[in-house]
Amino acid sequence: MTVVTAERITTAAQALVIAAELADEFARGAAERDHARRLPHEELDQLSASGLLAITVPAAFGGADLPPSVVAEVFRILAAGDPNIAQVPHSHFVYLNLLRLAGSPAQQREYFGRVLAGARIANAQSERGGASVAEIATTVRPADGRFVVEGAKYYCTGSLFADVLAVLTRLDDPQGVSGLAPGEYVAFVAALEPGVRIVDDWDALGQRTTGSGTVEFERVQVGREQLVARAAAVQAPTGYGAFAQLLHAAIDAGIARGALDAAVEFVRTRSRPWFEAEVARAVDDPLVVQRFGELAVSVGAAEAALVVAGAAVDEAVRPAGAGRGSASAADGAQSAGNDAAQASIAVATAKILADRAANEVSAAIFEVGGTRSAAAAHRLDHYWRNARTHTLHDPVRWKYQHIGRAVLQDRPPPLHGVI
């Protein structure tokens, strides 16, 4: 578990400088960690100590309150160095956002305070066996004045490094004993709580060191103060889903940039030119030059779209009424809805371009690098494996659907997104 003293970051510029310094350091060991599947415990302690994991804590609770666009850029920078480390805190920020939107003042004080001290939150959200990813079988039910959580979760990214697990549950209280409204609740559970079992069984071909194992909950006791109703975040135009998706797009864009940098370095230092080019160096082969131009455009487009999406999400998550003039409540709600819809479309666009760039460039390393690049000792395959694995999160074919419906039918995308 985390034992760190976190620095306090106060500005966006400070956050980006620290992210770049850490990314450079993490990049040096990323390929070997991936090869040996050495989990980055020390590196994540560095990340916690840097203060970056607290940059969205609201100013009222002592945090920097930095906007989504800055968080996305931090993720992109870190992912260019090691996308495994960058993915680990994804859910950490998503559930801090849930607390901001739906937590009580006491809950906000408690968990924001822990994060400011260096604590890490991980998800326990996805399940197997249901008809779709949206079905939740894990329950929270009242028992003896408290509540009991029971169920099993999979793909729990960051759980092996977490202090607190954010567990998505369904209230099981048909008699209304608890007084809580029916629906989904996130239970904030200590990772070391009795009845919690975290299993290191993640065996994907990529993103191998994200700590995305199975978590089982057997009669885990929680108090009412640990439960946050999810409805306020996902059933209103809060930008909750757009923010979560923005960070996924940032990871993909970072993978693309890291792969492009690796390809440049390899061709400059190791590749030989194809004999028909009649040049002495691979960097002077006109077909290689052409391909690098194409790859650079792909990466640049993804990064530019991420900036646009970040600005749109910033707009969508503004507090109600902030910068919206003296409009009526109805007009304010309509404005918030429009902002949230525009943010989701901008993020969908960024996700498509980042997905494309990450997979294209990580595969093209071998195309431009030549036969030598396929040698296992170079470890260049981890870029493609990471890209192929992470981009499976939320299929881009549905992003095209959301964009097309908005353009053609004026239909807004789903409020909640998929995270």
mmCIF file with all atom_site columns, all heavy atoms in Angstrom, residues 239-243 245 309 312-313 316 338-350 399 402-403 412-417:
data_model
loop_
_atom_site.group_PDB
_atom_site.id
_atom_site.type_symbol
_atom_site.label_atom_id
_atom_site.label_alt_id
_atom_site.label_comp_id
_atom_site.label_asym_id
_atom_site.label_entity_id
_atom_site.label_seq_id
_atom_site.pdbx_PDB_ins_code
_atom_site.Cartn_x
_atom_site.Cartn_y
_atom_site.Cartn_z
_atom_site.occupancy
_atom_site.B_iso_or_equiv
_atom_site.pdbx_formal_charge
_atom_site.auth_seq_id
_atom_site.auth_comp_id
_atom_site.auth_asym_id
_atom_site.auth_atom_id
_atom_site.pdbx_PDB_model_num
ATOM 1   N N   . GLY A 1 239 ? -20.665 15.756 -17.970 1.00 0.00 ? 239 GLY A N   1
ATOM 2   C CA  . GLY A 1 239 ? -19.378 15.513 -18.614 1.00 0.00 ? 239 GLY A CA  1
ATOM 3   C C   . GLY A 1 239 ? -18.605 14.381 -17.986 1.00 0.00 ? 239 GLY A C   1
ATOM 4   O O   . GLY A 1 239 ? -17.426 14.176 -18.297 1.00 0.00 ? 239 GLY A O   1
ATOM 5   N N   . TYR A 1 240 ? -19.265 13.593 -17.144 1.00 0.00 ? 240 TYR A N   1
ATOM 6   C CA  . TYR A 1 240 ? -18.584 12.505 -16.432 1.00 0.00 ? 240 TYR A CA  1
ATOM 7   C C   . TYR A 1 240 ? -17.986 11.485 -17.398 1.00 0.00 ? 240 TYR A C   1
ATOM 8   O O   . TYR A 1 240 ? -16.800 11.143 -17.317 1.00 0.00 ? 240 TYR A O   1
ATOM 9   C CB  . TYR A 1 240 ? -19.587 11.837 -15.497 1.00 0.00 ? 240 TYR A CB  1
ATOM 10  C CG  . TYR A 1 240 ? -19.048 10.670 -14.687 1.00 0.00 ? 240 TYR A CG  1
ATOM 11  C CD1 . TYR A 1 240 ? -18.232 10.901 -13.583 1.00 0.00 ? 240 TYR A CD1 1
ATOM 12  C CD2 . TYR A 1 240 ? -19.386 9.362  -15.012 1.00 0.00 ? 240 TYR A CD2 1
ATOM 13  C CE1 . TYR A 1 240 ? -17.759 9.831  -12.824 1.00 0.00 ? 240 TYR A CE1 1
ATOM 14  C CE2 . TYR A 1 240 ? -18.907 8.289  -14.257 1.00 0.00 ? 240 TYR A CE2 1
ATOM 15  C CZ  . TYR A 1 240 ? -18.104 8.536  -13.169 1.00 0.00 ? 240 TYR A CZ  1
ATOM 16  O OH  . TYR A 1 240 ? -17.619 7.479  -12.429 1.00 0.00 ? 240 TYR A OH  1
ATOM 17  N N   . GLY A 1 241 ? -18.803 11.007 -18.327 1.00 0.00 ? 241 GLY A N   1
ATOM 18  C CA  . GLY A 1 241 ? -18.307 10.029 -19.289 1.00 0.00 ? 241 GLY A CA  1
ATOM 19  C C   . GLY A 1 241 ? -17.287 10.623 -20.235 1.00 0.00 ? 241 GLY A C   1
ATOM 20  O O   . GLY A 1 241 ? -16.295 9.973  -20.589 1.00 0.00 ? 241 GLY A O   1
ATOM 21  N N   . ALA A 1 242 ? -17.502 11.866 -20.659 1.00 0.00 ? 242 ALA A N   1
ATOM 22  C CA  . ALA A 1 242 ? -16.558 12.510 -21.576 1.00 0.00 ? 242 ALA A CA  1
ATOM 23  C C   . ALA A 1 242 ? -15.189 12.658 -20.934 1.00 0.00 ? 242 ALA A C   1
ATOM 24  O O   . ALA A 1 242 ? -14.160 12.474 -21.597 1.00 0.00 ? 242 ALA A O   1
ATOM 25  C CB  . ALA A 1 242 ? -17.105 13.871 -22.006 1.00 0.00 ? 242 ALA A CB  1
ATOM 26  N N   . PHE A 1 243 ? -15.155 12.984 -19.663 1.00 0.00 ? 243 PHE A N   1
ATOM 27  C CA  . PHE A 1 243 ? -13.878 13.117 -18.960 1.00 0.00 ? 243 PHE A CA  1
ATOM 28  C C   . PHE A 1 243 ? -13.148 11.777 -18.920 1.00 0.00 ? 243 PHE A C   1
ATOM 29  O O   . PHE A 1 243 ? -11.944 11.692 -19.210 1.00 0.00 ? 243 PHE A O   1
ATOM 30  C CB  . PHE A 1 243 ? -14.117 13.634 -17.544 1.00 0.00 ? 243 PHE A CB  1
ATOM 31  C CG  . PHE A 1 243 ? -12.891 13.649 -16.672 1.00 0.00 ? 243 PHE A CG  1
ATOM 32  C CD1 . PHE A 1 243 ? -11.832 14.498 -16.947 1.00 0.00 ? 243 PHE A CD1 1
ATOM 33  C CD2 . PHE A 1 243 ? -12.793 12.805 -15.575 1.00 0.00 ? 243 PHE A CD2 1
ATOM 34  C CE1 . PHE A 1 243 ? -10.698 14.512 -16.149 1.00 0.00 ? 243 PHE A CE1 1
ATOM 35  C CE2 . PHE A 1 243 ? -11.670 12.807 -14.767 1.00 0.00 ? 243 PHE A CE2 1
ATOM 36  C CZ  . PHE A 1 243 ? -10.615 13.668 -15.055 1.00 0.00 ? 243 PHE A CZ  1
ATOM 37  N N   . GLN A 1 245 ? -13.493 9.220  -20.937 1.00 0.00 ? 245 GLN A N   1
ATOM 38  C CA  . GLN A 1 245 ? -13.067 8.866  -22.282 1.00 0.00 ? 245 GLN A CA  1
ATOM 39  C C   . GLN A 1 245 ? -11.899 9.717  -22.763 1.00 0.00 ? 245 GLN A C   1
ATOM 40  O O   . GLN A 1 245 ? -11.039 9.250  -23.517 1.00 0.00 ? 245 GLN A O   1
ATOM 41  C CB  . GLN A 1 245 ? -14.238 9.013  -23.243 1.00 0.00 ? 245 GLN A CB  1
ATOM 42  C CG  . GLN A 1 245 ? -15.286 7.943  -23.113 1.00 0.00 ? 245 GLN A CG  1
ATOM 43  C CD  . GLN A 1 245 ? -14.768 6.584  -23.551 1.00 0.00 ? 245 GLN A CD  1
ATOM 44  O OE1 . GLN A 1 245 ? -14.102 6.467  -24.557 1.00 0.00 ? 245 GLN A OE1 1
ATOM 45  N NE2 . GLN A 1 245 ? -15.046 5.577  -22.770 1.00 0.00 ? 245 GLN A NE2 1
ATOM 46  N N   . ALA A 1 309 ? -10.601 18.351 -27.734 1.00 0.00 ? 309 ALA A N   1
ATOM 47  C CA  . ALA A 1 309 ? -11.503 17.617 -26.840 1.00 0.00 ? 309 ALA A CA  1
ATOM 48  C C   . ALA A 1 309 ? -11.323 18.056 -25.397 1.00 0.00 ? 309 ALA A C   1
ATOM 49  O O   . ALA A 1 309 ? -12.304 18.205 -24.650 1.00 0.00 ? 309 ALA A O   1
ATOM 50  C CB  . ALA A 1 309 ? -11.255 16.119 -26.976 1.00 0.00 ? 309 ALA A CB  1
ATOM 51  N N   . ALA A 1 312 ? -13.164 21.199 -24.817 1.00 0.00 ? 312 ALA A N   1
ATOM 52  C CA  . ALA A 1 312 ? -14.615 20.966 -24.787 1.00 0.00 ? 312 ALA A CA  1
ATOM 53  C C   . ALA A 1 312 ? -15.048 20.354 -23.460 1.00 0.00 ? 312 ALA A C   1
ATOM 54  O O   . ALA A 1 312 ? -16.108 20.715 -22.919 1.00 0.00 ? 312 ALA A O   1
ATOM 55  C CB  . ALA A 1 312 ? -15.017 20.057 -25.951 1.00 0.00 ? 312 ALA A CB  1
ATOM 56  N N   . VAL A 1 313 ? -14.253 19.442 -22.919 1.00 0.00 ? 313 VAL A N   1
ATOM 57  C CA  . VAL A 1 313 ? -14.603 18.852 -21.626 1.00 0.00 ? 313 VAL A CA  1
ATOM 58  C C   . VAL A 1 313 ? -14.450 19.880 -20.512 1.00 0.00 ? 313 VAL A C   1
ATOM 59  O O   . VAL A 1 313 ? -15.264 19.923 -19.577 1.00 0.00 ? 313 VAL A O   1
ATOM 60  C CB  . VAL A 1 313 ? -13.758 17.591 -21.348 1.00 0.00 ? 313 VAL A CB  1
ATOM 61  C CG1 . VAL A 1 313 ? -14.115 16.997 -19.989 1.00 0.00 ? 313 VAL A CG1 1
ATOM 62  C CG2 . VAL A 1 313 ? -13.979 16.544 -22.432 1.00 0.00 ? 313 VAL A CG2 1
ATOM 63  N N   . ALA A 1 316 ? -17.602 21.628 -20.477 1.00 0.00 ? 316 ALA A N   1
ATOM 64  C CA  . ALA A 1 316 ? -18.738 20.819 -20.017 1.00 0.00 ? 316 ALA A CA  1
ATOM 65  C C   . ALA A 1 316 ? -18.767 20.634 -18.512 1.00 0.00 ? 316 ALA A C   1
ATOM 66  O O   . ALA A 1 316 ? -19.846 20.439 -17.938 1.00 0.00 ? 316 ALA A O   1
ATOM 67  C CB  . ALA A 1 316 ? -18.711 19.460 -20.704 1.00 0.00 ? 316 ALA A CB  1
ATOM 68  N N   . ASN A 1 338 ? -25.988 20.951 -23.971 1.00 0.00 ? 338 ASN A N   1
ATOM 69  C CA  . ASN A 1 338 ? -25.281 21.176 -25.230 1.00 0.00 ? 338 ASN A CA  1
ATOM 70  C C   . ASN A 1 338 ? -23.774 21.047 -25.047 1.00 0.00 ? 338 ASN A C   1
ATOM 71  O O   . ASN A 1 338 ? -23.078 20.463 -25.890 1.00 0.00 ? 338 ASN A O   1
ATOM 72  C CB  . ASN A 1 338 ? -25.631 22.558 -25.782 1.00 0.00 ? 338 ASN A CB  1
ATOM 73  C CG  . ASN A 1 338 ? -27.062 22.660 -26.289 1.00 0.00 ? 338 ASN A CG  1
ATOM 74  O OD1 . ASN A 1 338 ? -27.683 21.643 -26.598 1.00 0.00 ? 338 ASN A OD1 1
ATOM 75  N ND2 . ASN A 1 338 ? -27.588 23.864 -26.358 1.00 0.00 ? 338 ASN A ND2 1
ATOM 76  N N   . ASP A 1 339 ? -23.273 21.615 -23.960 1.00 0.00 ? 339 ASP A N   1
ATOM 77  C CA  . ASP A 1 339 ? -21.834 21.528 -23.694 1.00 0.00 ? 339 ASP A CA  1
ATOM 78  C C   . ASP A 1 339 ? -21.395 20.080 -23.516 1.00 0.00 ? 339 ASP A C   1
ATOM 79  O O   . ASP A 1 339 ? -20.344 19.667 -24.027 1.00 0.00 ? 339 ASP A O   1
ATOM 80  C CB  . ASP A 1 339 ? -21.479 22.326 -22.439 1.00 0.00 ? 339 ASP A CB  1
ATOM 81  C CG  . ASP A 1 339 ? -21.534 23.834 -22.658 1.00 0.00 ? 339 ASP A CG  1
ATOM 82  O OD1 . ASP A 1 339 ? -21.573 24.266 -23.832 1.00 0.00 ? 339 ASP A OD1 1
ATOM 83  O OD2 . ASP A 1 339 ? -21.548 24.575 -21.658 1.00 0.00 ? 339 ASP A OD2 1
ATOM 84  N N   . ALA A 1 340 ? -22.194 19.311 -22.784 1.00 0.00 ? 340 ALA A N   1
ATOM 85  C CA  . ALA A 1 340 ? -21.848 17.908 -22.545 1.00 0.00 ? 340 ALA A CA  1
ATOM 86  C C   . ALA A 1 340 ? -21.872 17.120 -23.850 1.00 0.00 ? 340 ALA A C   1
ATOM 87  O O   . ALA A 1 340 ? -21.000 16.273 -24.103 1.00 0.00 ? 340 ALA A O   1
ATOM 88  C CB  . ALA A 1 340 ? -22.817 17.291 -21.531 1.00 0.00 ? 340 ALA A CB  1
ATOM 89  N N   . ALA A 1 341 ? -22.866 17.385 -24.700 1.00 0.00 ? 341 ALA A N   1
ATOM 90  C CA  . ALA A 1 341 ? -22.956 16.686 -25.980 1.00 0.00 ? 341 ALA A CA  1
ATOM 91  C C   . ALA A 1 341 ? -21.772 17.035 -26.875 1.00 0.00 ? 341 ALA A C   1
ATOM 92  O O   . ALA A 1 341 ? -21.156 16.158 -27.496 1.00 0.00 ? 341 ALA A O   1
ATOM 93  C CB  . ALA A 1 341 ? -24.266 17.031 -26.674 1.00 0.00 ? 341 ALA A CB  1
ATOM 94  N N   . GLN A 1 342 ? -21.441 18.312 -26.936 1.00 0.00 ? 342 GLN A N   1
ATOM 95  C CA  . GLN A 1 342 ? -20.302 18.735 -27.758 1.00 0.00 ? 342 GLN A CA  1
ATOM 96  C C   . GLN A 1 342 ? -19.002 18.133 -27.242 1.00 0.00 ? 342 GLN A C   1
ATOM 97  O O   . GLN A 1 342 ? -18.126 17.744 -28.039 1.00 0.00 ? 342 GLN A O   1
ATOM 98  C CB  . GLN A 1 342 ? -20.221 20.258 -27.778 1.00 0.00 ? 342 GLN A CB  1
ATOM 99  C CG  . GLN A 1 342 ? -21.349 20.917 -28.560 1.00 0.00 ? 342 GLN A CG  1
ATOM 100 C CD  . GLN A 1 342 ? -21.347 22.426 -28.437 1.00 0.00 ? 342 GLN A CD  1
ATOM 101 O OE1 . GLN A 1 342 ? -20.372 23.033 -27.999 1.00 0.00 ? 342 GLN A OE1 1
ATOM 102 N NE2 . GLN A 1 342 ? -22.451 23.047 -28.818 1.00 0.00 ? 342 GLN A NE2 1
ATOM 103 N N   . ALA A 1 343 ? -18.879 18.047 -25.926 1.00 0.00 ? 343 ALA A N   1
ATOM 104 C CA  . ALA A 1 343 ? -17.674 17.440 -25.343 1.00 0.00 ? 343 ALA A CA  1
ATOM 105 C C   . ALA A 1 343 ? -17.572 15.965 -25.728 1.00 0.00 ? 343 ALA A C   1
ATOM 106 O O   . ALA A 1 343 ? -16.501 15.480 -26.091 1.00 0.00 ? 343 ALA A O   1
ATOM 107 C CB  . ALA A 1 343 ? -17.683 17.596 -23.823 1.00 0.00 ? 343 ALA A CB  1
ATOM 108 N N   . SER A 1 344 ? -18.687 15.259 -25.656 1.00 0.00 ? 344 SER A N   1
ATOM 109 C CA  . SER A 1 344 ? -18.669 13.834 -25.999 1.00 0.00 ? 344 SER A CA  1
ATOM 110 C C   . SER A 1 344 ? -18.306 13.618 -27.461 1.00 0.00 ? 344 SER A C   1
ATOM 111 O O   . SER A 1 344 ? -17.561 12.687 -27.793 1.00 0.00 ? 344 SER A O   1
ATOM 112 C CB  . SER A 1 344 ? -20.031 13.200 -25.695 1.00 0.00 ? 344 SER A CB  1
ATOM 113 O OG  . SER A 1 344 ? -20.243 13.135 -24.301 1.00 0.00 ? 344 SER A OG  1
ATOM 114 N N   . ILE A 1 345 ? -18.808 14.469 -28.350 1.00 0.00 ? 345 ILE A N   1
ATOM 115 C CA  . ILE A 1 345 ? -18.482 14.342 -29.769 1.00 0.00 ? 345 ILE A CA  1
ATOM 116 C C   . ILE A 1 345 ? -17.009 14.657 -30.006 1.00 0.00 ? 345 ILE A C   1
ATOM 117 O O   . ILE A 1 345 ? -16.317 13.958 -30.771 1.00 0.00 ? 345 ILE A O   1
ATOM 118 C CB  . ILE A 1 345 ? -19.380 15.259 -30.613 1.00 0.00 ? 345 ILE A CB  1
ATOM 119 C CG1 . ILE A 1 345 ? -20.836 14.788 -30.538 1.00 0.00 ? 345 ILE A CG1 1
ATOM 120 C CG2 . ILE A 1 345 ? -18.903 15.316 -32.052 1.00 0.00 ? 345 ILE A CG2 1
ATOM 121 C CD1 . ILE A 1 345 ? -21.054 13.375 -31.015 1.00 0.00 ? 345 ILE A CD1 1
ATOM 122 N N   . ALA A 1 346 ? -16.512 15.693 -29.355 1.00 0.00 ? 346 ALA A N   1
ATOM 123 C CA  . ALA A 1 346 ? -15.095 16.040 -29.506 1.00 0.00 ? 346 ALA A CA  1
ATOM 124 C C   . ALA A 1 346 ? -14.197 14.929 -28.975 1.00 0.00 ? 346 ALA A C   1
ATOM 125 O O   . ALA A 1 346 ? -13.164 14.600 -29.578 1.00 0.00 ? 346 ALA A O   1
ATOM 126 C CB  . ALA A 1 346 ? -14.799 17.354 -28.774 1.00 0.00 ? 346 ALA A CB  1
ATOM 127 N N   . VAL A 1 347 ? -14.597 14.321 -27.872 1.00 0.00 ? 347 VAL A N   1
ATOM 128 C CA  . VAL A 1 347 ? -13.809 13.226 -27.305 1.00 0.00 ? 347 VAL A CA  1
ATOM 129 C C   . VAL A 1 347 ? -13.882 11.995 -28.208 1.00 0.00 ? 347 VAL A C   1
ATOM 130 O O   . VAL A 1 347 ? -12.885 11.290 -28.395 1.00 0.00 ? 347 VAL A O   1
ATOM 131 C CB  . VAL A 1 347 ? -14.276 12.905 -25.870 1.00 0.00 ? 347 VAL A CB  1
ATOM 132 C CG1 . VAL A 1 347 ? -13.624 11.623 -25.362 1.00 0.00 ? 347 VAL A CG1 1
ATOM 133 C CG2 . VAL A 1 347 ? -13.942 14.056 -24.933 1.00 0.00 ? 347 VAL A CG2 1
ATOM 134 N N   . ALA A 1 348 ? -15.064 11.732 -28.766 1.00 0.00 ? 348 ALA A N   1
ATOM 135 C CA  . ALA A 1 348 ? -15.190 10.598 -29.692 1.00 0.00 ? 348 ALA A CA  1
ATOM 136 C C   . ALA A 1 348 ? -14.271 10.778 -30.892 1.00 0.00 ? 348 ALA A C   1
ATOM 137 O O   . ALA A 1 348 ? -13.615 9.832  -31.355 1.00 0.00 ? 348 ALA A O   1
ATOM 138 C CB  . ALA A 1 348 ? -16.639 10.456 -30.153 1.00 0.00 ? 348 ALA A CB  1
ATOM 139 N N   . THR A 1 349 ? -14.188 11.994 -31.401 1.00 0.00 ? 349 THR A N   1
ATOM 140 C CA  . THR A 1 349 ? -13.287 12.282 -32.517 1.00 0.00 ? 349 THR A CA  1
ATOM 141 C C   . THR A 1 349 ? -11.839 12.036 -32.108 1.00 0.00 ? 349 THR A C   1
ATOM 142 O O   . THR A 1 349 ? -11.064 11.409 -32.853 1.00 0.00 ? 349 THR A O   1
ATOM 143 C CB  . THR A 1 349 ? -13.473 13.735 -32.974 1.00 0.00 ? 349 THR A CB  1
ATOM 144 O OG1 . THR A 1 349 ? -14.835 13.950 -33.351 1.00 0.00 ? 349 THR A OG1 1
ATOM 145 C CG2 . THR A 1 349 ? -12.561 14.067 -34.140 1.00 0.00 ? 349 THR A CG2 1
ATOM 146 N N   . ALA A 1 350 ? -11.469 12.529 -30.930 1.00 0.00 ? 350 ALA A N   1
ATOM 147 C CA  . ALA A 1 350 ? -10.099 12.337 -30.446 1.00 0.00 ? 350 ALA A CA  1
ATOM 148 C C   . ALA A 1 350 ? -9.789  10.867 -30.226 1.00 0.00 ? 350 ALA A C   1
ATOM 149 O O   . ALA A 1 350 ? -8.684  10.398 -30.521 1.00 0.00 ? 350 ALA A O   1
ATOM 150 C CB  . ALA A 1 350 ? -9.901  13.120 -29.146 1.00 0.00 ? 350 ALA A CB  1
ATOM 151 N N   . LYS A 1 399 ? -18.069 5.135  -31.651 1.00 0.00 ? 399 LYS A N   1
ATOM 152 C CA  . LYS A 1 399 ? -17.793 6.572  -31.697 1.00 0.00 ? 399 LYS A CA  1
ATOM 153 C C   . LYS A 1 399 ? -18.267 7.150  -33.027 1.00 0.00 ? 399 LYS A C   1
ATOM 154 O O   . LYS A 1 399 ? -18.828 8.238  -33.086 1.00 0.00 ? 399 LYS A O   1
ATOM 155 C CB  . LYS A 1 399 ? -16.303 6.841  -31.509 1.00 0.00 ? 399 LYS A CB  1
ATOM 156 C CG  . LYS A 1 399 ? -15.686 6.203  -30.277 1.00 0.00 ? 399 LYS A CG  1
ATOM 157 C CD  . LYS A 1 399 ? -16.419 6.541  -29.003 1.00 0.00 ? 399 LYS A CD  1
ATOM 158 C CE  . LYS A 1 399 ? -15.788 5.820  -27.816 1.00 0.00 ? 399 LYS A CE  1
ATOM 159 N NZ  . LYS A 1 399 ? -16.604 5.933  -26.592 1.00 0.00 ? 399 LYS A NZ  1
ATOM 160 N N   . HIS A 1 402 ? -22.006 7.637  -32.850 1.00 0.00 ? 402 HIS A N   1
ATOM 161 C CA  . HIS A 1 402 ? -22.412 8.816  -32.083 1.00 0.00 ? 402 HIS A CA  1
ATOM 162 C C   . HIS A 1 402 ? -22.186 10.098 -32.880 1.00 0.00 ? 402 HIS A C   1
ATOM 163 O O   . HIS A 1 402 ? -23.034 11.005 -32.875 1.00 0.00 ? 402 HIS A O   1
ATOM 164 C CB  . HIS A 1 402 ? -21.640 8.873  -30.759 1.00 0.00 ? 402 HIS A CB  1
ATOM 165 C CG  . HIS A 1 402 ? -21.910 7.721  -29.858 1.00 0.00 ? 402 HIS A CG  1
ATOM 166 N ND1 . HIS A 1 402 ? -21.023 7.315  -28.886 1.00 0.00 ? 402 HIS A ND1 1
ATOM 167 C CD2 . HIS A 1 402 ? -22.968 6.864  -29.784 1.00 0.00 ? 402 HIS A CD2 1
ATOM 168 C CE1 . HIS A 1 402 ? -21.513 6.267  -28.256 1.00 0.00 ? 402 HIS A CE1 1
ATOM 169 N NE2 . HIS A 1 402 ? -22.696 5.978  -28.774 1.00 0.00 ? 402 HIS A NE2 1
ATOM 170 N N   . ILE A 1 403 ? -21.056 10.168 -33.566 1.00 0.00 ? 403 ILE A N   1
ATOM 171 C CA  . ILE A 1 403 ? -20.765 11.352 -34.373 1.00 0.00 ? 403 ILE A CA  1
ATOM 172 C C   . ILE A 1 403 ? -21.746 11.453 -35.535 1.00 0.00 ? 403 ILE A C   1
ATOM 173 O O   . ILE A 1 403 ? -22.304 12.528 -35.806 1.00 0.00 ? 403 ILE A O   1
ATOM 174 C CB  . ILE A 1 403 ? -19.309 11.300 -34.883 1.00 0.00 ? 403 ILE A CB  1
ATOM 175 C CG1 . ILE A 1 403 ? -18.331 11.393 -33.713 1.00 0.00 ? 403 ILE A CG1 1
ATOM 176 C CG2 . ILE A 1 403 ? -19.048 12.435 -35.868 1.00 0.00 ? 403 ILE A CG2 1
ATOM 177 C CD1 . ILE A 1 403 ? -16.894 11.068 -34.087 1.00 0.00 ? 403 ILE A CD1 1
ATOM 178 N N   . PRO A 1 412 ? -28.093 13.722 -29.585 1.00 0.00 ? 412 PRO A N   1
ATOM 179 C CA  . PRO A 1 412 ? -26.936 13.804 -28.696 1.00 0.00 ? 412 PRO A CA  1
ATOM 180 C C   . PRO A 1 412 ? -26.415 12.414 -28.351 1.00 0.00 ? 412 PRO A C   1
ATOM 181 O O   . PRO A 1 412 ? -27.175 11.440 -28.352 1.00 0.00 ? 412 PRO A O   1
ATOM 182 C CB  . PRO A 1 412 ? -27.483 14.506 -27.452 1.00 0.00 ? 412 PRO A CB  1
ATOM 183 C CG  . PRO A 1 412 ? -28.936 14.175 -27.449 1.00 0.00 ? 412 PRO A CG  1
ATOM 184 C CD  . PRO A 1 412 ? -29.338 14.091 -28.903 1.00 0.00 ? 412 PRO A CD  1
ATOM 185 N N   . PRO A 1 413 ? -25.136 12.303 -28.052 1.00 0.00 ? 413 PRO A N   1
ATOM 186 C CA  . PRO A 1 413 ? -24.580 11.013 -27.638 1.00 0.00 ? 413 PRO A CA  1
ATOM 187 C C   . PRO A 1 413 ? -25.065 10.652 -26.241 1.00 0.00 ? 413 PRO A C   1
ATOM 188 O O   . PRO A 1 413 ? -25.640 11.493 -25.535 1.00 0.00 ? 413 PRO A O   1
ATOM 189 C CB  . PRO A 1 413 ? -23.071 11.262 -27.650 1.00 0.00 ? 413 PRO A CB  1
ATOM 190 C CG  . PRO A 1 413 ? -22.944 12.737 -27.421 1.00 0.00 ? 413 PRO A CG  1
ATOM 191 C CD  . PRO A 1 413 ? -24.128 13.369 -28.079 1.00 0.00 ? 413 PRO A CD  1
ATOM 192 N N   . PRO A 1 414 ? -24.860 9.413  -25.801 1.00 0.00 ? 414 PRO A N   1
ATOM 193 C CA  . PRO A 1 414 ? -25.277 9.023  -24.453 1.00 0.00 ? 414 PRO A CA  1
ATOM 194 C C   . PRO A 1 414 ? -24.614 9.908  -23.394 1.00 0.00 ? 414 PRO A C   1
ATOM 195 O O   . PRO A 1 414 ? -23.473 10.339 -23.560 1.00 0.00 ? 414 PRO A O   1
ATOM 196 C CB  . PRO A 1 414 ? -24.784 7.575  -24.326 1.00 0.00 ? 414 PRO A CB  1
ATOM 197 C CG  . PRO A 1 414 ? -24.628 7.105  -25.728 1.00 0.00 ? 414 PRO A CG  1
ATOM 198 C CD  . PRO A 1 414 ? -24.239 8.297  -26.531 1.00 0.00 ? 414 PRO A CD  1
ATOM 199 N N   . LEU A 1 415 ? -25.332 10.185 -22.325 1.00 0.00 ? 415 LEU A N   1
ATOM 200 C CA  . LEU A 1 415 ? -24.811 11.030 -21.271 1.00 0.00 ? 415 LEU A CA  1
ATOM 201 C C   . LEU A 1 415 ? -23.618 10.404 -20.557 1.00 0.00 ? 415 LEU A C   1
ATOM 202 O O   . LEU A 1 415 ? -22.640 11.061 -20.260 1.00 0.00 ? 415 LEU A O   1
ATOM 203 C CB  . LEU A 1 415 ? -25.902 11.327 -20.229 1.00 0.00 ? 415 LEU A CB  1
ATOM 204 C CG  . LEU A 1 415 ? -26.956 12.369 -20.580 1.00 0.00 ? 415 LEU A CG  1
ATOM 205 C CD1 . LEU A 1 415 ? -28.008 12.404 -19.488 1.00 0.00 ? 415 LEU A CD1 1
ATOM 206 C CD2 . LEU A 1 415 ? -26.314 13.730 -20.764 1.00 0.00 ? 415 LEU A CD2 1
ATOM 207 N N   . HIS A 1 416 ? -23.754 9.105  -20.270 1.00 0.00 ? 416 HIS A N   1
ATOM 208 C CA  . HIS A 1 416 ? -22.809 8.484  -19.369 1.00 0.00 ? 416 HIS A CA  1
ATOM 209 C C   . HIS A 1 416 ? -21.507 8.077  -20.037 1.00 0.00 ? 416 HIS A C   1
ATOM 210 O O   . HIS A 1 416 ? -20.476 8.010  -19.386 1.00 0.00 ? 416 HIS A O   1
ATOM 211 C CB  . HIS A 1 416 ? -23.437 7.242  -18.706 1.00 0.00 ? 416 HIS A CB  1
ATOM 212 C CG  . HIS A 1 416 ? -23.970 6.253  -19.687 1.00 0.00 ? 416 HIS A CG  1
ATOM 213 N ND1 . HIS A 1 416 ? -23.158 5.368  -20.363 1.00 0.00 ? 416 HIS A ND1 1
ATOM 214 C CD2 . HIS A 1 416 ? -25.229 6.031  -20.113 1.00 0.00 ? 416 HIS A CD2 1
ATOM 215 C CE1 . HIS A 1 416 ? -23.903 4.637  -21.160 1.00 0.00 ? 416 HIS A CE1 1
ATOM 216 N NE2 . HIS A 1 416 ? -25.164 5.003  -21.044 1.00 0.00 ? 416 HIS A NE2 1
ATOM 217 N N   . GLY A 1 417 ? -21.544 7.801  -21.343 1.00 0.00 ? 417 GLY A N   1
ATOM 218 C CA  . GLY A 1 417 ? -20.373 7.217  -21.978 1.00 0.00 ? 417 GLY A CA  1
ATOM 219 C C   . GLY A 1 417 ? -20.135 5.835  -21.408 1.00 0.00 ? 417 GLY A C   1
ATOM 220 O O   . GLY A 1 417 ? -20.922 5.303  -20.628 1.00 0.00 ? 417 GLY A O   1
#
